[in-house]
Structures are given as C-alpha cells and as structure tokens.
C-alpha cells in the first residue's frame, strides 16, 4: 500500500469515527448539506471493494460504516424526517 493510500484509509477511518460520535446528525441532514450520507459511503465502500476483487455486499458495508447492523442503528438513532428536512432535501435535489 502506498503512503497516499495509507493516509486516505486513515482519513476514512477518522470520518467513520466522527460520524459515529455524531449520531444525532441524521442522514437526511448530511444529504441536504453535503450531498452524501452514511448509506452513500457504504455504497462507495462496496463498489471500491468490488473494483479491487473483493466481495463486500451493501449490508456488510453498511455495518462497517454504521458500526453495527443498519437495522439496529436505525432503531436506536434514526428519527423520522421533519417536514422541513423533507422540503430542504427536495429543494436540494432540484438544484
């Protein structure tokens, strides 16, 4: 692994730790502000694994990103989206 890859991997791990420490930030908030969320990271992880000849399906990738099975995270931490969040998300999609 190159030094750049090591740095990128370390940065990704720090991002996951940061997201884990901020469970109050909902995926819809991330989508509104940044255009990606934890689920996007899981899709990118699964895709990158596939490109490197490894099989990590979406659910496995979500468990890596969320630090637990998604169903458990959703039950413990995901709140229903508010009308304001939905409106902001819809407006963001139209941009």
């Amino acid at each position: 692994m190159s030094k750049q890859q090591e740095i990128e991997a370390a940065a990704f791990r720090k991002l996951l730790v940061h997201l884990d420490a901020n469970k109050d930030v909902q995926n819809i908030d991330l989508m509104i502000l940044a255009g990606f969320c934890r689920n996007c990271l899981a899709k990118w992880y699964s895709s990158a694994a596939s490109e490197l000849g490894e099989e990590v399906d979406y659910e496995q990738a979500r468990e890596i990103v969320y630090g637990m099975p998604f169903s458990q995270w959703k039950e413990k931490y995901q709140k229903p989206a508010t009308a304001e969040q939905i409106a902001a998300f819809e407006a963001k999609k139209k941009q």
Side-chain angles (χ1 to χ4, degrees):
M1 180 183 304
S2 73
K3 187 55 77 175
Q4 180 178 348
Q5 289 170 317
E6 289 179 38
I7 293 167
E8 290 167 349
F12 179 74
R13 288 190 297 272
K14 285 184 181 196
L15 173 61
L16 293 183
V17 168
H18 182 76
L19 289 172
D20 189 53
N22 292 279
K23 291 180 181 82
D24 57 315
V25 177
Q26 298 293 298
N27 281 334
I28 195 165
D29 297 322
L30 291 169
M31 289 297 295
I32 293 164
L33 294 172
F36 76 96
C37 69
R38 293 170 181 90
N39 290 324
C40 297
L41 288 174
K43 289 175 185 174
W44 299 339
Y45 189 100
S46 179
S47 176
S50 181
E51 289 171 12
L52 295 170
E54 297 292 325
E55 286 304 315
V56 178
D57 70 26
Y58 180 51
E59 289 306 316
Q60 291 170 314
R62 288 207 308 186
E63 189 164 340
I64 290 165
V65 169
Y66 284 92
M68 64 184 70
F70 175 67
S71 59
Q72 184 181 353
W73 192 94
K74 184 176 177 180
E75 182 179 309
K76 290 175 90 171
Y77 303 108
Q78 186 168 311
K79 299 173 186 161
T82 66
E84 293 83 11
Q85 287 171 316
I86 293 169
F89 180 67
E90 292 300 322
K92 177 80 171 186
K93 287 190 332 187
K94 291 179 182 176
Q95 292 179 345

